[in-house]
Amino acid sequence: GQSLEQPSEVTAVEGAIVQINCTYQTSGFYGLSWYQQHDGGAPTFLSYNALDGLEETGRFSSFLSRSDSYGYLLLQELQMKDSASYFCAVPPPDNFNKFYFGSGTKLNVKP
Amino acid sequence: DTGVSQDPRHKITKRGQNVTFRCDPISEHNRLYWYRQTLGQGPEFLTYFQNEAQLEKSRLLSDRFSAERPKGSFSTLEIQRTEQGDSAMYLCASTQGGGNDYGYTFGSGTRLTVV
């Protein structure tokens, strides 16, 4: 089976950098996705890492280490609008028919 | 491209009643997914369609739940004899298929409250 662990809550100040970690245990591994969800809103896809290393998309970057079964989402120059829940997710080892999501990390950005 | 639409946004029903939700995916997307999300948790997979074929169902999807996608476009999710434990946000998502299915486009969901 698959299990994912994320911190439940993280607090940071506007303009800072924050890292949201995700460790996973899977029967096989295909890749790691990240989603953002504002309260009452739809989850929004942020990134997908299939290979080790850091991928940058604007203020957001995502990192994967397959050997450590670990990834993180890095948010730079935090803005108030970044206050949201962030979920990591993995597919089964052989298809994208579904994803297993972590319980999410609630990010609180303070002025 | 109007995104993934779900209707209704909110539904309050009495225990034991049947409810039906609708999802309209992005028009060129041939894959459609249903997930359920409870407060403080991540989405949980319910079922997946490739065009009109329902190819996978979670064990979470008891026999009170049924989903259809009759013409490979919109989909419906019906819950019969609702129970209080069915209270959750029901999310629909779609992808185009063809190898880029690691990034879902989700709808805003239908929030079901069973009283």
Side-chain angles (χ1 to χ4, degrees):
Chain A
Q2 277 77 13
S3 70
L4 300 101
E5 285 193 20
Q6 308 178 231
S8 59
E9 196 165 350
V10 172
T11 299
V13 297
E14 209 172 2
I17 299 172
V18 72
Q19 179 175 310
I20 298 174
N21 299 321
C22 174
T23 57
Y24 56 85
Q25 289 186 317
T26 61
S27 54
F29 183 74
Y30 218 14
L32 185 72
S33 288
W34 287 94
Y35 286 80
Q36 177 193 62
Q37 186 178 31
H38 288 98
D39 284 347
T44 303
F45 173 72
L46 294 176
S47 66
Y48 176 74
N49 294 64
L51 303 175
D52 286 356
L54 186 70
E55 295 201 4
E56 300 179 51
T57 309
R59 294 188 298 113
F60 291 10
S61 303
S62 56
F63 172 82
L64 177 66
S65 169
R66 296 169 68 108
S67 60
D68 295 323
S69 298
Y70 163 74
Y72 65 73
L73 183 69
L74 191 72
L75 295 82
Q76 301 183 73
E77 300 171 18
L78 280 175
Q79 301 176 10
M80 297 299 291
K81 68 179 182 180
D82 298 329
S83 292
S85 291
Y86 293 84
F87 296 90
C88 58
V90 295
D94 56 354
N95 64 71
F96 287 124
N97 294 352
K98 62 188 170 193
F99 272 77
Y100 300 98
F101 283 78
S103 297
T105 299
K106 186 168 177 59
L107 172 62
N108 302 303
V109 180
K110 296 191 171 181
Chain B
D1 178 2
T2 57
V4 177
S5 300
Q6 292 190 244
D7 183 68
R9 289 295 309 275
H10 303 275
K11 178 71 177 178
I12 300 174
T13 192
K14 291 184 178 179
R15 191 175 52 186
Q17 297 295 305
N18 300 344
V19 293
T20 301
F21 312 140
R22 177 180 170 123
C23 171
D24 287 87
I26 293 172
S27 58
E28 63 268 26
H29 284 187
N30 55 38
R31 294 187 171 201
L32 185 146
Y33 314 82
W34 285 98
Y35 280 75
R36 180 170 68 187
Q37 185 177 26
T38 53
L39 200 63
Q41 298 298 314
E44 292 178 296
F45 172 77
L46 292 179
T47 191
Y48 152 65
F49 289 85
Q50 170 92 26
N51 298 312
E52 67 275 11
Q54 187 176 21
L55 297 184
E56 188 162 351
K57 289 174 22 173
S58 164
R59 276 170 278 180
L60 290 175
L61 214 65
S62 76
D63 55 7
R64 296 185 298 106
F65 288 68
S66 62
E68 293 183 342
R69 194 182 182 197
K71 296 181 180 178
S73 56
F74 74 91
S75 175
T76 57
L77 177 68
E78 181 183 16
I79 309 174
Q80 297 183 327
R81 305 180 303 280
T82 52
E83 301 172 357
Q84 286 189 323
D86 298 331
S87 295
M89 175 75 84
Y90 290 83
L91 293 163
C92 176
S94 69
T95 59
Q96 192 164 16
N100 294 325
D101 300 311
Y102 48 78
Y104 289 171
T105 301
F106 277 97
S108 295
T110 294
R111 180 166 296 283
L112 173 67
T113 303
V114 182
V115 298

